[in-house]
Amino acid sequence: MKKILMAILFTSLLIVSACSADSEDNNSMKQSDSDMKMEGMNGSNNGMNMGGMGHGTENLKELNNSTGENELNVPPILNSNKKEGNNVYYTVDAQKGKTEIFKGFETNTLGYNSSFLGPVIELEKGQNVQIKTKNSLDEVTTFHWHGLEIAGNGDGGPHSIIKPGESKNVNFKVEQDAATLWFHPHPMEATATQVFDGLAGLIYIKDDKEKQLAIPQDYGKNDFPLVVQDKSFDKNKQFNYDEVFNPDGTTGDTLLVNGTVNPRLTVEKEKVRLRLLNGSNMRNYVFKLNNNQAFQQIASDGGLLNEPEELTEIRLTPGERAEIIVDFSKVNDGEEVSLVTEEGTVVLPFKIKDTVTKESENLPEKMNNISINEEERSKEVTKKIELFGMGEHVTINGKKFDMNRIDFTQNKGETEVWEIYNKPDMMGGMIHPFHLHGAQFKVISINGKEPPANEKGYKDTIALDPKDKVKIAVKFNKPGTYMFHCHILEHEENGMMGQVKVQ
Ligand code: C2O
Ligand code: CU
Ligand code: CU
């Protein structure tokens, strides 16, 4: 009964929103684009009703548990082409390949400088960086540096198309603090598929301040990236995005960490730093340890928190990062420890080496010095962003993305207060992770209250539950046109994106 009622509600909602979409000046290109997607959607057995009804939760595919049979892939640190004093040169090549994700099967995948996913680009604060971006795919792409403070013309948004076979140099100076960032494509209509098929890499920014802190920083020994993504494979073990496409966000039943299926991570009895990235198209995760052991969060999207924050679970929505410290010297002998989701899905079992406990220093008490100053706190809201809708009918401030429309302007170096509101619909609404390009922001308040301690650091992506109203302090240090959007990649593709021009 409840289901039928929901279906009626949903159908009428569709009609209402379809009407309002018609009244907007949608151009014909967009119209045909959405027709195209509708077709793909109806063709899947995960049809319209499921997609919409689920509101991003009911329709989630159930995830497998990692059996732990494969040691986790640790992505290589990208070698520079050349280093001259403070100048460093890299090449990042988007390419197609085949990857043996499952033993005995070759999956067609995309990757940066490899067949699948990408390396870690390790940059030092203060460096002048040149990245030659090369498109070896047979479709257009862009190179977007998620979380990086870079001028708009190097940011790799949907305007910065690189055609197959072409290259472009991107130049910037690293002026932000140590942080774990990432990069991925951002072309109109193909971001979600290209990420799903494997285009995603990491950027580590390093600085002297961080290096002096007593936190694990030995890459691949006690400091590991964990790129968590849910994928689907067809019976031939291929990605088949169209088959599993869902307009409210495509999910999969197979968890990959750094591209490894059924991963395990071998660690020593010491403090280990895990740099978590939710690189999924839409799935949210609440991560915890199966034994409920506490861990310390030391960094958010934009770098170190002021102090390590003790937590027993952490939620990451698509695009968000968190660095956590798990102390394996505290684990009882013989105890099995895994990173799990709140539903109990095993993401990553740990294999703790039978070696002596390494005495490691306590984590530093103070790591950073970020605060909301009086000026920021008392400033009026100058930009309001209303996230609304679901599926094909998502909007920001009632509008769909238009490449030729600038939604806001802001002066470089000037702090403004943005208010983001997740307006619920008649079915309640869903979580939208709001992401801003080109700047790291500070969270002033969530529903009028101070943010939790682990959201008091710099962020570039923030989850809004339905009805949430979030105030953020935004300052762009570089000029250009930047995107802001929902990081559910299908919502972004469906037009839940706008542009701010900074000069
Ligand atoms: Cu991670 Cu506009 O994206
Ligand atoms: Cu971004
Ligand atoms: Cu969304």
Side-chain angles (χ1 to χ4, degrees):
M1 186 59 207
K2 193 178 153 226
K3 280 242 152 104
I4 296 169
L5 195 70
M6 298 272 277
I8 295 169
L9 270 173
F10 176 63
T11 314
S12 49
L13 180 78
L14 257 190
I15 295 166
V16 171
S17 35
C19 292
S20 67
D22 281 350
S23 64
E24 282 169 25
D25 39 351
N26 270 348
N27 62 35
S28 55
M29 214 185 88
K30 272 192 192 134
Q31 201 57 53
S32 63
D33 166 48
S34 76
D35 288 348
M36 216 175 71
K37 281 190 176 148
M38 295 287 277
E39 264 172 42
M41 219 166 58
N42 291 338
S44 76
N45 44 9
N46 205 6
M48 184 87 214
N49 288 331
M50 289 294 288
M53 291 291 290
H55 250 75
T57 49
E58 280 176 35
N59 65 319
L60 282 182
K61 292 206 166 60
E62 210 181 305
L63 282 175
N64 68 305
N65 289 304
S66 171
T67 59
E69 62 196 79
N70 302 311
E71 186 64 29
L72 180 78
N73 172 53
V74 178
I77 307 262
L78 184 62
N79 286 323
S80 62
N81 306 335
K82 184 167 70 166
K83 223 176 205 166
E84 285 172 348
N86 210 27
N87 302 332
V88 60
Y89 302 81
Y90 290 98
T91 300
V92 174
D93 185 2
Q95 49 189 242
K96 298 193 306 180
K98 292 187 191 297
T99 307
E100 192 176 2
I101 299 169
F102 297 89
K103 281 195 188 77
F105 289 90
E106 295 217 300
T107 303
N108 294 313
T109 49
L110 303 182
Y112 292 112
N113 302 33
S114 69
S115 70
F116 191 36
L117 298 173
V120 178
I121 308 175
E122 201 180 273
L123 305 174
E124 295 281 337
K125 186 175 181 182
Q127 263 177 341
N128 296 311
V129 182
Q130 182 175 92
I131 302 179
K132 179 181 175 185
T133 58
K134 184 163 175 241
N135 180 2
S136 302
L137 307 172
D138 44 26
E139 56 184 317
V140 299
T141 193
T142 80
F143 295 77
H144 169 57
W145 323 102
H146 179 132
L148 186 69
E149 293 185 6
I150 181 171
N153 58 10
D155 181 57
H159 297 276
S160 311
I161 285 293
I162 302 189
K163 297 205 186 97
E166 294 188 349
S167 309
K168 186 191 159 195
N169 286 334
V170 174
N171 296 289
F172 59 96
K173 179 165 191 195
V174 181
E175 282 169 310
Q176 69 199 95
D177 289 350
T180 303
L181 315 177
W182 65 302
F183 62 103
H184 62 78
H186 222 299
M188 287 303 294
E189 278 137 43
T191 300
T193 37
Q194 290 184 1
V195 172
F196 195 81
D197 288 349
L199 287 181
L202 291 156
I203 302 173
Y204 284 6
I205 294 183
K206 304 251 163 173
D207 66 15
D208 292 340
K209 191 175 74 181
E210 186 203 29
K211 280 181 196 156
Q212 277 152 24
L213 293 173
I215 50 180
Q217 34 199 323
D218 201 350
Y219 186 76
K221 296 241 161 48
N222 60 15
D223 182 354
F224 299 92
L226 299 180
V227 180
V228 180
Q229 299 177 305
D230 60 327
K231 307 278 184 193
S232 291
F233 295 88
D234 67 14
K235 56 180 185 310
N236 301 318
K237 298 284 187 243
Q238 302 301 318
F239 295 133
N240 193 335
Y241 181 79
D242 291 339
E243 209 168 82
V244 290
F245 167 77
N246 184 311
D248 262 326
T250 299
T251 60
D253 55 8
T254 306
L255 256 183
L256 302 185
V257 182
N258 301 344
T260 307
V261 70
N262 290 320
R264 74 164 176 271
L265 177 60
T266 304
V267 293
E268 300 207 32
K269 289 179 193 158
E270 61 177 337
K271 290 193 186 73
V272 171
R273 177 185 195 171
L274 302 172
R275 304 184 189 225
L276 288 157
L277 158 66
N278 181 350
S280 307
N281 282 41
M282 84 77 69
R283 189 185 289 270
N284 305 314
Y285 304 90
V286 176
F287 293 111
K288 45 184 270 191
L289 295 166
N290 63 324
N291 60 358
N292 285 315
Q293 186 177 325
F295 52 85
Q296 324 284 325
Q297 184 180 354
I298 57 164
S300 55
D301 302 333
L304 293 168
L305 299 173
N306 288 346
E307 296 121 34
E309 289 303 327
E310 182 161 299
L311 300 170
T312 50
E313 57 176 48
I314 184 166
R315 179 172 78 173
L316 288 186
T317 62
E320 284 187 293
R321 286 89 64 211
E323 297 179 28
I324 63 170
I325 306 288
V326 179
D327 193 345
F328 290 99
S329 72
K330 293 232 170 77
V331 175
N332 299 325
D333 278 340
E335 197 179 350
E336 305 266 330
V337 184
S338 306
L339 186 71
V340 297
T341 67
E342 92 187 302
E343 297 83 13
T345 302
V346 180
V347 177
L348 183 68
F350 298 102
K351 186 177 158 201
I352 304 171
K353 275 198 203 156
D354 207 13
T355 46
V356 281
T357 303
K358 286 197 185 168
E359 280 308 322
S360 40
E361 267 181 83
N362 289 335
L363 291 174
E365 276 166 30
K366 192 98 194 118
M367 301 184 297
N368 212 338
N369 192 10
I370 303 165
S371 65
I372 304 285
N373 60 39
E374 263 327 297
E375 197 208 334
E376 289 160 337
R377 205 176 294 280
S378 58
K379 264 199 171 154
E380 303 250 318
V381 171
T382 38
K383 291 180 170 49
K384 285 197 174 183
I385 296 199
E386 188 181 277
L387 309 169
F388 183 65
M390 50 196 257
E392 298 284 333
H393 306 289
V394 286
T395 55
I396 292 185
N397 293 343
K399 287 179 255 177
K400 286 198 176 280
F401 180 66
D402 180 345
M403 280 251 246
N404 302 312
R405 184 188 68 229
I406 297 293
D407 298 275
F408 295 122
T409 57
Q410 185 159 328
N411 292 330
K412 185 172 73 118
E414 210 171 277
T415 300
E416 285 197 37
V417 176
W418 296 31
E419 184 184 86
I420 305 128
Y421 173 46
N422 182 354
K423 185 180 167 184
D425 59 27
M426 52 205 287
M427 294 177 65
M430 61 188 281
I431 297 170
H432 298 290
F434 175 82
H435 168 53
L436 176 62
H437 287 205
Q440 290 291 337
F441 55 76
K442 292 187 283 190
V443 184
I444 300 171
S445 65
I446 300 175
N447 300 322
K449 293 199 236 27
E450 262 197 51
N454 69 323
E455 292 194 321
K456 284 185 176 170
Y458 282 108
K459 300 271 302 158
D460 55 53
T461 308
I462 184 164
L464 281 93
D465 285 291
K467 298 195 199 141
D468 271 1
K469 207 172 250 183
V470 171
K471 274 199 210 174
I472 59 175
V474 178
K475 185 173 84 171
F476 294 95
N477 293 322
K478 303 197 174 174
T481 298
Y482 297 106
M483 306 298 127
F484 52 86
H485 59 89
C486 173
H487 218 288
I488 293 176
L489 296 180
E490 288 74 13
H491 281 182
E492 180 237 301
E493 302 262 34
N494 292 342
M496 205 171 208
M497 177 155 70
Q499 307 187 75
V500 54
K501 187 171 180 182
V502 177
Q503 46 203 348

